[in-house]
Amino acid sequence: MGGAPAGLEARSLVKRFGATTAVDGIDIAVRPGEFFTVLGPSGCGKTTFLRLVAGILAPDGGSIRIGAADLTQAPIWARNIGLVFQNYALFPHMTVAQNVGFGLAMRRVPRADRGPRIARALETVRLDGYGGRRPSELSGGQQQRVALARAIVIEPDLLLLDEPLSNLDARLREDMRSELADLKHRLGITTILVTHDIHEAFSLSDRVAVMRAGRVEQVGAPTELYELPANRFVAGFLGPVNEWTGRVGAIADGTAEVEFAGLRSCRVPALAGWRGGDEATVILRPERLGLTAASAAGEGAVVGRIDQVAHLGNLVNYRVAAGGRALLAQAPAGRTGRFALGDRVAVAWDDADLAPVAP
Amino acid sequence: MISGAAGRSALGIRLGGSVWLFLGPALLLMLAAYLAPLFDTTIVSLHPNRPTGIDRDSWTIANYLRLLDTYYGEVLLRTLRVSLLITLFSVLLAYPVGVWLAGLGPRGQAWAILVYMSPWFVNAVVKSFGWTLILGNRGLVNRGLQSLGLIDSPLRLMLNETGIVIGLLPGHFLFVLLPLWAALKGLDGNLRWAAMTLGARPWQVFLRVTVPLTLPALLAGAIINFTMNMAAFAAPALLGGTRTRVLSFIAYQVNLEELNWPFGGALAVAMLVVTLGFVMVAQGLTRGGLGGGRR
Amino acid sequence: MGPIRRSSFLRLAFGAALAAAAAGGAAAQPANKTVYFLTWGGTVQQTLEKEGWGKKFTEATGYTVQLVPKATGPEIIAAAVAQKDNPQVDVVQSDLLPFLSGDDQGLFRPIDVKDIPNIAKLASVARINPNAIMTYGDVMAIIYNHEVFAQKKWAEPKAEWGELMRPEFRGSLVLPPVNTTYGLYGLITLARVHGGSEHEIGPGFDALKKLAPGIVEWPTTFARMGQFLQDGSAAVGFYSSSSAAEMARRGVPVKYVVPKPLFFTGTAAGIMKNAPNPEGAKAFLNWWISKEVMTFRAERYGNVTMNTEVTSNPIPIAALNEMQRVDYATVNARRADWIKVFEREVLPLK
């Protein structure tokens, strides 16, 4: 659909509500055709950012460009943006077809052309034949798809999705997510998703920006963020994590020897500015911790006792009290290698899985 | 045992005595306060009036035939004209005021509603009297305009239909405004933004989204407004004057001055029928007029 | 609204409620100690309540009077008709005309000197029929705003009814409409001025039609007429002399003349048939027409009282003999037709 996709460039965006600054100098560049996600806890300013891009809010500073055009001051109706709301915001007094055709009517698309385009859009979201229904006669998932069809039928330069899956139940959400992933490839529209759900963000996005308190903490591909979080907040927000703080020893060739009380010392890539004797924090994802029976403890392993077990179906989470710490470990739920509460286990890891983080 | 009986009632198989105990007061009130007087009025309207009072032994439709007289036709037309005019003005004002109101902060809305309600803090007679001080030949408006040199002789702002409209509009406007305001407040704000991202300009959002979704509320308010205009008494009596009588005043006069209850009853029944007719037409509009009406 | 109030069903319900309320209070105070007096609010209410005559009545007789006030004569009689089958009031007083139409409907019981000794002191004209007496009355007057007159350099009206037809009053005149008692009197007065009478009303309507375009408004009540005379939107009106005096007392810049021949407008009173408190009713009516009360009414409100012992009447009762009598039976019989003519042929003229 449409011509070449456009990119978005937001520069030094600022938005204040009274004394609070909701968006505090954001720089985000979305590449043409990219599926970009703004991820963050509620109140981080991500929805405000979306509304600034859509034109619902006017920024107090900074600029917004879509493609070559500066749209900072452009009215909403002139931005050619498709927006899907969290609550779908379908027009209750119109049929599905009228909802989808609304944008076409506003754009003065000839009546004869509207029908086929509406039909195509409904087909794209697998709702062919639903054109005559009212939104109230559809399920939540179907309404969601109507909202999507309504947004894409106008061939927008930019598609904005505001927590589109959060109102759906778990199973529908899964379906819808895979459908979105599908659509993303078929449509090729530059898309910005705003969500607080990391699974949503990671499974759909080319790149993700993590926001906190009105600022962007880190932008990168999902794996990059997961493996090399810029700081403790990003690390923690993206999932459970073991966070160890120790003392830097010798640094050589960019690799630092860090001593942790109760654990063995580890070799990790030194962060710029680390000096011997400094405090240093590293993180280790639970799934990178290996558990074996205490009797089979290898060199450098720490022995401890399991004090919490949580079965997640395909995975099991363990908490191990070892070396005066609570170590989180995650293992596939197999028939072998299962441990029970109170078992003595040896915990081992590869230093290559440790990532240093800024405080 | 008890739960068994309750279960039966809940299934709608049989209404137990206890149900009537609950419904009783409501039904009694309706019967005593609404239907019985109406029924009695209708019966009385079918008896002839004699110098000695109502002749309850004979029956007649003469009272209704008398309504066909052109004098009552004129009064009816005037009543309808004035009532519809007030409703029209109310409806025209409702959206600008309602949209403005719904956009205010909570405190602002509370105060503004209080202002729109203020006509009801004053007794209708006192209020109409106040209007005469403003609208009279030597009233505030005429003296103001005269001192500004805008008019030579006073404008006739009361003792005519203009006076009735001016006197009733502020108070009765509330009944169009309140339902519309509630509907506007209840509108999902995202609908507006959704329409705008799809290319709608604010006036298009208003015509294609706001109006269709709030029209039922507006019409409901308009119906209440219209029935109240039809039944209004004090303002038409004081601001319309003796020359500009409306049906409600004629009904008062016939009942209380001429002491002719049978004809007064016929007037009341006719008024009810006409008002109900208009209400039903308006309800038909609400149901049929909104794009297919499937809900 | 009017018609709804008077359902017989409601009357029963209302009566039952009143009876229950009365029964509840019966132990403390015997029900037959209170006399219910259905008449105007206004000056009567002032007399009984503010001016303390209600208390004096209790001191004199041991009964208490409870006023049931209405706005106009017809409303008083309408209220009485509504409780015809189950009266809640004892004494009724209203304009003579509506009172007589109420009497035609059999509302009132006979009264005589045996029960009410003071009747003997009334002038003979006051004894209208076995069921009704005139308590006091009034004479019709031409009322005018003297400030407007001075400003426009108009001559003060002479004491002649023909003055109402003065061409310069066009656009400054207020007359009560024919569907009110005083409006009827106005019609009859104009008929007489032009050679007709209540038996030949045509000239009256001709005169009204001539006046109608120059009439500011047809006010139905004294207060309403006062309002138009006060704010200067009208300068000349036709109403009773005591009302004119009351207007002046309330600060309206009006004076009045009482043209000859005098046009007398009577106030009638009587006792409801099956009144709940017949003895109290007799006591009250006897007291109400007594020399003391009537003297006060004459002095305070300018009433022309029917009690011959009153010396302070604004017009001596003897003068009433010169007045032209109105044939009330004819007027009551033709009223509806006249109203019809008025509404169709006079009122629309502007």
Side-chain angles (χ1 to χ4, degrees):
Chain A
M1 293 170 105
L8 167 93
E9 196 179 346
R11 257 194 217 155
S12 318
L13 268 189
V14 174
K15 180 67 190 175
R16 295 183 201 93
F17 297 111
T20 55
T21 304
V23 166
D24 191 4
I26 282 184
D27 291 289
I28 282 178
V30 180
R31 295 165 194 149
E34 191 176 26
F35 197 114
F36 190 90
T37 294
V38 179
L39 177 68
S42 59
C44 72
K46 58 186 191 299
T47 297
T48 304
F49 167 72
L50 185 95
R51 296 189 152 229
L52 287 170
V53 173
I56 293 172
L57 295 172
D60 294 317
S63 67
I64 296 166
R65 302 177 75 86
I66 296 175
D70 184 340
L71 295 179
T72 314
Q73 304 298 333
I76 314 178
W77 55 87
R79 292 193 180 199
N80 200 33
I81 279 175
L83 176 51
V84 176
F85 288 89
Q86 185 173 0
N87 68 349
Y88 323 137
L90 297 179
F91 305 125
H93 58 300
M94 298 182 193
T95 61
V96 166
Q98 284 169 337
N99 264 281
V100 176
F102 187 84
L104 300 177
M106 290 299 109
R107 281 170 168 68
R108 299 184 184 282
V109 172
R111 213 168 269 275
D113 297 350
R114 287 184 213 163
R117 284 179 67 175
I118 294 168
R120 223 179 318 139
L122 285 176
E123 206 178 313
T124 308
V125 297
R126 297 195 295 115
L127 278 178
D128 9 351
Y130 282 77
R133 306 246 187 132
R134 295 250 163 194
S136 56
E137 295 167 330
L138 303 182
S139 70
Q142 289 169 328
Q143 290 184 29
Q144 176 70 80
R145 283 187 259 156
V146 174
L148 197 58
R150 186 176 67 175
I152 60 175
V153 74
I154 58 168
E155 301 176 4
D157 293 329
L158 191 62
L159 181 63
L160 302 179
L161 308 173
D162 184 8
E163 307 246 8
L165 307 182
S166 63
N167 275 4
L168 302 175
D169 63 48
R171 220 174 55 81
L172 262 177
R173 196 181 307 173
E174 203 51 53
D175 289 354
M176 205 52 212
R177 195 158 68 203
S178 76
E179 206 156 314
L180 273 179
D182 248 19
L183 276 173
K184 166 184 136 181
H185 293 298
R186 274 189 285 156
L187 298 173
I189 304 174
T190 312
T191 304
I192 300 178
L193 168 72
V194 158
T195 185
H196 65 273
D197 184 317
I198 37 167
H199 297 291
E200 220 169 288
F202 278 26
S203 59
L204 290 166
S205 314
D206 299 319
R207 287 193 304 148
V208 175
V210 179
M211 277 188 74
R212 174 168 66 153
R215 290 173 177 279
V216 173
E217 296 282 317
Q218 192 176 6
V219 181
T223 44
E224 201 181 320
L225 296 181
Y226 193 71
E227 303 290 343
L228 290 170
N231 54 39
R232 294 167 59 193
F233 169 76
V234 175
F237 188 70
L238 297 183
V241 76
N242 290 295
E243 195 180 285
W244 300 337
T245 299
R247 207 152 287 282
V248 178
I251 302 179
D253 297 334
T255 303
E257 187 87 22
V258 185
E259 308 272 351
F260 300 103
L263 304 174
R264 68 172 167 82
S265 66
C266 304
R267 295 170 59 78
V268 292
L271 284 185
W274 276 8
R275 300 271 178 278
D278 283 356
E279 215 169 59
T281 304
V282 302
I283 59 141
L284 180 63
R285 296 288 170 191
E287 70 271 20
R288 304 292 167 84
L289 271 182
L291 294 188
T292 48
S295 52
E299 191 191 340
V302 188
V303 174
R305 188 183 295 279
I306 290 180
D307 68 355
Q308 226 177 57
V309 181
H311 292 274
L312 303 180
N314 57 336
L315 295 169
V316 188
N317 283 341
Y318 298 103
R319 199 172 75 185
V320 183
R325 295 167 187 273
L327 302 180
L328 303 176
Q330 190 177 58
R335 259 169 303 179
T336 57
R338 270 189 295 191
F339 301 100
L341 201 64
D343 283 359
R344 281 177 60 76
V345 289
V347 184
W349 65 91
D350 184 343
D351 281 2
D353 288 327
L354 294 173
V357 290
Chain B
M1 246 159 57
I2 290 164
S3 72
R8 270 211 308 277
S9 311
L11 287 170
I13 296 168
R14 196 174 60 88
L15 284 177
S18 56
V19 172
W20 292 107
L21 205 66
F22 282 110
L23 290 179
L27 288 175
L28 249 165
L29 179 74
M30 218 164 89
L31 203 69
Y34 297 99
L35 297 179
L38 201 64
F39 181 73
D40 190 62
T41 301
T42 312
I43 294 298
V44 165
S45 75
L46 293 168
H47 290 305
N49 192 47
R50 310 235 190 266
T52 49
I54 305 165
D55 179 359
R56 289 191 184 264
D57 296 327
S58 39
W59 299 84
T60 177
I61 57 160
N63 294 312
Y64 287 93
L65 293 177
R66 200 177 149 191
L67 287 174
L68 301 176
D69 187 306
T70 51
Y71 174 71
Y72 298 105
E74 270 170 39
V75 172
L76 174 65
L77 273 182
R78 178 184 300 128
T79 311
L80 284 173
R81 187 166 55 234
V82 168
S83 299
L84 287 171
L85 213 57
I86 295 166
T87 305
L88 179 74
F89 283 133
S90 301
V91 165
L92 287 179
L93 282 171
Y95 271 112
V97 175
V99 169
W100 167 74
L101 199 59
L104 291 179
R107 189 181 289 261
Q109 289 190 20
W111 280 109
I113 286 290
L114 209 65
V115 169
Y116 285 105
M117 276 172 66
S118 62
W120 296 96
F121 301 155
V122 186
N123 165 287
V125 175
V126 175
K127 190 169 59 189
S128 299
F129 182 79
W131 273 116
T132 66
L133 299 181
I134 295 170
L135 301 176
N137 280 356
R138 298 228 179 156
L140 215 60
V141 175
N142 272 320
R143 271 196 298 194
L145 290 176
Q146 272 172 323
S147 67
L148 289 172
L150 293 173
I151 50 170
D152 293 329
S153 54
L155 295 177
R156 212 155 165 60
L157 296 174
M158 52 175 278
L159 302 180
N160 54 16
E161 293 176 19
T162 312
I164 304 179
V165 173
I166 294 175
L168 287 180
L169 186 59
H172 290 188
F173 174 58
L174 183 72
F175 295 90
V176 179
L177 180 63
L178 280 185
L180 182 68
W181 170 64
L184 285 169
K185 267 176 66 99
L187 269 191
D188 175 8
N190 282 343
L191 293 179
R192 172 186 173 76
W193 303 123
M196 282 195 171
T197 60
L198 293 167
R201 282 155 177 73
W203 62 269
Q204 288 172 311
V205 176
F206 177 72
L207 287 182
R208 287 172 169 262
V209 179
T210 311
V211 170
L213 286 175
T214 51
L215 205 57
L218 181 79
L219 275 171
I223 287 172
I224 301 174
N225 176 284
F226 174 75
T227 54
M228 294 192 63
N229 300 341
M230 287 292 285
F233 176 78
L238 293 172
L239 294 169
T242 309
R243 285 188 180 100
T244 320
R245 287 305 182 212
V246 293
L247 265 188
S248 61
F249 192 89
I250 298 287
Y252 157 83
Q253 221 168 39
V254 168
N255 278 298
L256 290 178
E257 287 180 3
E258 291 177 30
L259 298 179
N260 187 344
W261 293 349
F263 182 54
L267 272 171
V269 170
M271 212 166 128
L272 184 73
V273 168
V274 170
T275 308
L276 271 182
F278 269 77
V279 167
M280 279 158 81
V281 167
Q283 278 179 333
L285 278 179
T286 326
R287 229 175 284 125
L290 295 175
R294 263 201 295 155
R295 287 245 128 201
Chain C
M1 234 195 338
I4 288 169
R5 270 252 104 173
R6 56 169 158 71
S7 113
S8 56
F9 182 93
L10 262 197
R11 240 179 291 148
L12 281 175
F14 187 63
L18 265 189
Q29 186 187 11
N32 62 5
K33 277 290 171 199
T34 303
V35 181
Y36 288 89
F37 184 30
L38 173 65
T39 184
W40 296 279
T43 67
V44 177
Q45 189 153 17
Q46 258 181 50
T47 300
L48 290 178
E49 292 168 10
K50 274 197 199 151
E51 289 156 357
W53 286 85
K55 259 193 208 120
K56 290 183 194 169
F57 169 63
T58 307
E59 285 160 16
T61 63
Y63 291 102
T64 353
V65 61
Q66 175 64 52
L67 188 72
V68 182
K70 297 286 164 193
T72 67
E75 279 183 27
I76 293 166
I77 298 306
V81 170
Q83 41 184 273
K84 185 179 173 187
D85 300 334
N86 183 17
Q88 307 297 323
V89 298
D90 301 295
V91 182
V92 179
Q93 176 182 265
S94 85
D95 291 328
L96 183 55
L97 266 181
F99 193 92
L100 290 177
S101 73
D103 189 39
D104 284 344
Q105 300 196 33
L107 287 181
F108 308 113
R109 51 166 283 176
I111 43 181
D112 61 42
V113 185
K114 277 202 304 269
D115 295 324
I116 302 170
N118 278 340
I119 287 181
K121 297 174 186 165
L122 296 181
S124 57
V125 286
R127 201 64 232 254
I128 301 160
N129 68 32
N131 301 336
I133 53 168
M134 264 203 271
T135 47
Y136 47 82
D138 218 334
V139 286
M140 299 308 292
I142 294 175
I143 313 172
Y144 61 100
N145 180 320
H146 55 80
E147 287 177 0
V148 175
F149 267 60
Q151 196 189 328
K152 298 198 171 172
K153 300 196 168 61
W154 287 345
E156 309 258 308
K158 289 178 277 182
E160 289 169 17
W161 289 117
E163 290 287 282
L164 286 173
M165 306 297 292
R166 267 164 67 173
E168 65 261 41
F169 294 166
R170 197 188 156 86
S172 301
L173 208 54
V174 271
L175 293 186
V178 171
N179 46 36
T180 64
T181 306
Y182 286 173
L184 271 176
Y185 291 163
L187 173 67
I188 295 166
T189 302
L190 286 171
R192 286 176 179 169
V193 168
H194 294 88
S197 70
E198 60 268 41
H199 300 286
E200 194 198 337
I201 205 68
F205 272 118
D206 292 342
L208 269 189
K209 284 178 200 167
K210 216 167 131 197
L211 291 177
I215 283 177
V216 179
E217 164 67 333
W218 304 86
T220 43
T221 62
F222 144 76
R224 217 38 198 140
M225 178 170 284
Q227 194 187 328
F228 286 104
L229 289 171
Q230 176 158 39
D231 71 8
S233 35
V236 185
F238 171 87
Y239 223 74
S240 72
S241 62
S242 70
S243 295
E246 185 63 20
M247 272 182 217
R249 204 173 290 130
R250 292 186 190 178
V252 184
V254 291
K255 292 181 182 169
Y256 64 96
V257 289
V258 179
K260 295 260 166 62
L262 295 179
F263 197 111
F264 184 77
T265 162
T267 297
I271 295 176
M272 281 296 275
K273 207 177 263 175
N274 304 320
N277 186 2
E279 291 312 311
K282 290 173 196 162
F284 177 76
L285 200 51
N286 192 51
W287 172 81
W288 184 241
I289 61 175
S290 68
K291 185 184 173 190
E292 293 71 32
V293 179
M294 288 295 109
T295 302
F296 177 78
R297 290 293 306 183
E299 288 170 359
R300 170 69 178 80
Y301 294 104
N303 289 142
V304 182
T305 70
M306 293 295 116
N307 190 317
T308 48
E309 292 178 345
V310 174
T311 53
S312 47
N313 258 352
I315 294 165
I317 293 181
L320 297 180
N321 294 329
E322 299 164 26
M323 76 175 181
Q324 283 174 300
R325 293 281 163 84
V326 178
D327 179 352
Y328 294 114
T330 304
V331 173
N332 263 337
R334 303 227 175 130
R335 221 167 71 110
D337 290 333
W338 293 350
I339 290 171
K340 221 170 175 176
V341 174
F342 174 71
E343 282 171 344
R344 282 160 188 72
E345 296 173 26
V346 180
L347 211 45
L349 300 173
K350 290 186 218 183

